[in-house]
Amino acid sequence: MTYPPNAPAASAAQGTAGAPARPVSGVPAQPSAPGAVPTPAAPGAWAEGREILRRAATTEPGRLRILGAVLALLVVAFGAVTAFEVADRASYADDVVGRSQPLSADAADIYRSLADADATAASGFLAGPQESAQIRKRYTDDITTASRLLVRAAASTDADGESAREIATLSEHLPRYTGLIERARAANRQGLPLGGAYLRYANQTMTQALLPAAERLYAAETERLRQDDDEARAWPFLSLALGVLALAALVVVQRRNYAMTNRVFNRGLLAATAACVTALLWLLAGHGLARAGLNDAREHGQESLQVLNEARISSLKARANENLTVVARGAVLTEDGKQDKYEADYASSAAALTAALDDARRLADDEAGRAPLTEAAARTGEWRQRHGQARELDDAGDFTGAMNRIIGSSQSTGQSFDQVDAALGRALAHEQDEFTRAAENGRDALTGLPLGAAALGVLAAAGAVTGINRRLSEYR
């Protein structure tokens, strides 16, 4: 017996199966997100460069390229640094010869001219109303020389340096001093006692403002000379270290080349080595000769010049104080009130002169330098003896006799002073020639070295690259 299908049940089943699922009330459908894959960070430039070098170092051609780059960099750095350091030292050596030492000498001449002008003015005052044309001309020449040297020094010094300040002080007080001297002369020609007071005021301006400023200027320029000399003589240690390092690297690379190929020579590397050796030997020889010349200039010229300038300064101070002793006639005393100030200052300056002459004779290294110093010492002894005689006459009341012993044409202290000053001038000229000759020899030893070192550095780099490329060609 056949039964009919259960249609309602099937329909219900189909309806249930085909109906869409209803979402749960209040909960929205969530899309399914795919799994996130992290993006690797890009390597930095430094890490990438290291990786490239690491890969290159794993092959012989890569290692050769690295060695070639290192060798080229070393030899070029050696040439460049050598050129820079040697040019710097050559510049300082040129300053020693052409600027620092001439300025120091000019500063000493400024002091000498001012002090001699002061001593000459006092001598002219002692001569009375009839001042000789020779004394007047000497005073005028001294002032003109000091003014000219001040202008030249101002043009060669820094505007904000210590020397510039001292030059400004000198330029300010020099017209004041000359004005006081002219007033003293005018009063003296009229026979007025006021002339002596003006002369003392002028001397105070000279001794308290002008001469101290000139002495400080001389000290500043001498210190600059010493600094320039030290800089010129300093060894170029960085250049020497780079030269030795470049040579060591070239030797190591050539030994490596020999171990791998059994070839004794590589022409390119051998040329680079020869260029580095030439540059290093030239640097050592050139700087050694320059240093020797500058050392000779310092020991046999600069030190002697400094002592001789001190001797000349002492002699000028002694002469000025000697004249003022007679002009003041005991009106100016030392701080303790027991001695004539100018006489005490004369004695101090004369003792300093004698000591400086002894030092100068010890430093003189030949007879041409010692002969004028021996004469200066002998004339200094005569000067002190004649000064003692003049003081005895003055103390005994013989003013005319004392004045003749000081400013007379013969057998006077003025004659002795002129002889001492002339002998010191010859000694200074001799030592100046020795200094200039030795310093120029030192400076000339560096001529051509900066350019030569740079050219040899480029040549060595080209040789190193050529030698490495020759080895690389074997792998192609």
Side-chain angles (χ1 to χ4, degrees), residues 224-411:
R224 184 163 72 167
L225 170 61
R226 187 193 65 78
Q227 291 176 357
D228 288 344
D229 184 66
D230 287 342
E231 292 291 342
R233 294 186 304 113
W235 280 103
F237 289 112
L238 183 56
S239 298
L240 294 173
L242 282 173
V244 172
L245 182 60
L247 278 178
L250 285 166
V251 170
V252 169
V253 171
Q254 290 177 90
R255 284 178 60 86
R256 180 181 183 278
N257 186 47
Y258 172 74
M260 298 187 68
T261 64
N262 286 328
R263 295 178 183 144
V264 178
F265 297 117
N266 179 297
R267 293 180 180 177
L269 295 177
L270 192 62
T273 304
C276 282
V277 169
T278 302
L280 192 59
L281 291 178
W282 191 359
L283 174 61
L284 286 169
H287 190 77
L289 290 173
R291 187 179 174 89
L294 292 171
N295 282 340
D296 186 52
R298 170 179 281 192
E299 294 174 2
H300 303 295
Q302 183 178 338
E303 292 182 359
S304 295
L305 285 171
Q306 186 170 354
V307 173
L308 287 171
N309 282 323
E310 292 173 358
R312 206 171 199 184
I313 288 171
S314 297
S315 70
L316 290 163
K317 286 181 178 179
R319 179 58 179 169
N321 287 317
E322 181 178 52
N323 289 335
L324 288 168
T325 300
V326 182
V327 173
R329 304 294 303 273
V332 182
L333 301 177
T334 56
E335 292 183 358
D336 58 9
K338 297 180 179 179
Q339 289 181 294
D340 184 290
K341 178 184 182 301
Y342 296 119
E343 178 63 21
D345 289 344
Y346 163 81
S348 176
S349 299
L353 170 61
T354 301
L357 288 174
D358 291 339
D359 291 339
R361 279 186 292 179
R362 177 178 53 81
L363 291 171
D365 55 352
D366 56 11
E367 185 58 31
R370 282 189 291 268
L373 295 174
T374 301
E375 180 182 353
R379 300 307 179 192
T380 300
E382 291 180 359
W383 181 4
R384 300 184 75 167
Q385 181 180 4
R386 291 172 179 176
H387 177 81
Q389 295 171 355
R391 293 308 309 148
E392 290 177 358
L393 292 173
D394 191 32
D395 293 339
D398 187 357
F399 176 76
T400 302
M403 189 178 65
N404 288 333
R405 278 291 182 180
I406 291 175
I407 63 172
S409 58
S410 63
Q411 302 295 317

Side-chain angles (χ1 to χ4, degrees), residues 9-383:
S11 299
Q14 290 177 0
T16 305
R22 294 181 179 179
V24 180
S25 178
V27 181
Q30 300 292 329
S32 59
V37 179
T39 303
W46 179 254
E48 187 176 351
R50 283 189 304 173
E51 180 63 20
I52 293 174
L53 287 176
R54 187 189 67 79
R55 291 176 184 174
T58 58
T59 64
E60 180 61 16
R63 286 191 288 268
L64 287 173
R65 290 188 181 93
I66 294 173
L67 288 174
V70 171
L71 288 177
L73 181 62
L74 275 177
V75 294
V76 167
F78 169 49
V81 172
T82 299
F84 174 78
E85 287 196 322
V86 173
D88 183 63
R89 280 148 181 79
S91 175
Y92 279 113
D94 191 62
D95 284 344
V96 167
V97 176
R99 190 190 69 170
S100 302
Q101 204 284 325
L103 279 176
S104 178
D106 284 350
D109 284 341
I110 289 172
Y111 189 103
R112 188 206 67 80
S113 298
L114 291 175
D116 189 65
D118 194 48
T120 304
S123 297
F125 187 88
L126 286 174
Q130 302 301 321
E131 181 182 15
S132 69
Q134 183 180 1
I135 291 179
R136 178 72 179 182
K137 182 179 183 302
R138 180 169 176 171
Y139 168 82
T140 303
D141 289 344
D142 285 333
I143 296 299
T144 302
T145 299
S147 301
R148 175 176 53 82
L149 293 177
L150 279 174
V151 172
R152 189 162 70 182
S156 303
T157 56
D158 298 331
D160 56 349
E162 180 182 354
S163 296
R165 291 191 294 270
E166 303 304 338
I167 291 172
T169 300
L170 289 166
S171 301
E172 176 186 354
H173 287 88
L174 184 56
R176 186 177 305 169
Y177 170 80
T178 56
L180 289 171
I181 290 294
E182 293 307 318
R183 291 183 182 182
R185 281 176 170 159
N188 194 36
R189 283 194 295 268
Q190 297 174 21
L192 300 176
L194 190 60
Y198 276 124
L199 184 66
R200 289 196 297 273
Y201 294 152
N203 176 259
Q204 288 177 5
T205 302
M206 178 65 73
T207 57
Q208 297 178 11
L210 286 168
L211 292 183
E215 199 163 3
R216 290 192 299 268
L217 176 63
Y218 172 70
E221 294 302 330
T222 302
E223 176 61 21
R224 184 163 72 167
L225 170 61
R226 187 193 65 78
Q227 291 176 357
D228 288 344
D229 184 66
D230 287 342
E231 292 291 342
R233 294 186 304 113
W235 280 103
F237 289 112
L238 183 56
S239 298
L240 294 173
L242 282 173
V244 172
L245 182 60
L247 278 178
L250 285 166
V251 170
V252 169
V253 171
Q254 290 177 90
R255 284 178 60 86
R256 180 181 183 278
N257 186 47
Y258 172 74
M260 298 187 68
T261 64
N262 286 328
R263 295 178 183 144
V264 178
F265 297 117
N266 179 297
R267 293 180 180 177
L269 295 177
L270 192 62
T273 304
C276 282
V277 169
T278 302
L280 192 59
L281 291 178
W282 191 359
L283 174 61
L284 286 169
H287 190 77
L289 290 173
R291 187 179 174 89
L294 292 171
N295 282 340
D296 186 52
R298 170 179 281 192
E299 294 174 2
H300 303 295
Q302 183 178 338
E303 292 182 359
S304 295
L305 285 171
Q306 186 170 354
V307 173
L308 287 171
N309 282 323
E310 292 173 358
R312 206 171 199 184
I313 288 171
S314 297
S315 70
L316 290 163
K317 286 181 178 179
R319 179 58 179 169
N321 287 317
E322 181 178 52
N323 289 335
L324 288 168
T325 300
V326 182
V327 173
R329 304 294 303 273
V332 182
L333 301 177
T334 56
E335 292 183 358
D336 58 9
K338 297 180 179 179
Q339 289 181 294
D340 184 290
K341 178 184 182 301
Y342 296 119
E343 178 63 21
D345 289 344
Y346 163 81
S348 176
S349 299
L353 170 61
T354 301
L357 288 174
D358 291 339
D359 291 339
R361 279 186 292 179
R362 177 178 53 81
L363 291 171
D365 55 352
D366 56 11
E367 185 58 31
R370 282 189 291 268
L373 295 174
T374 301
E375 180 182 353
R379 300 307 179 192
T380 300
E382 291 180 359
W383 181 4

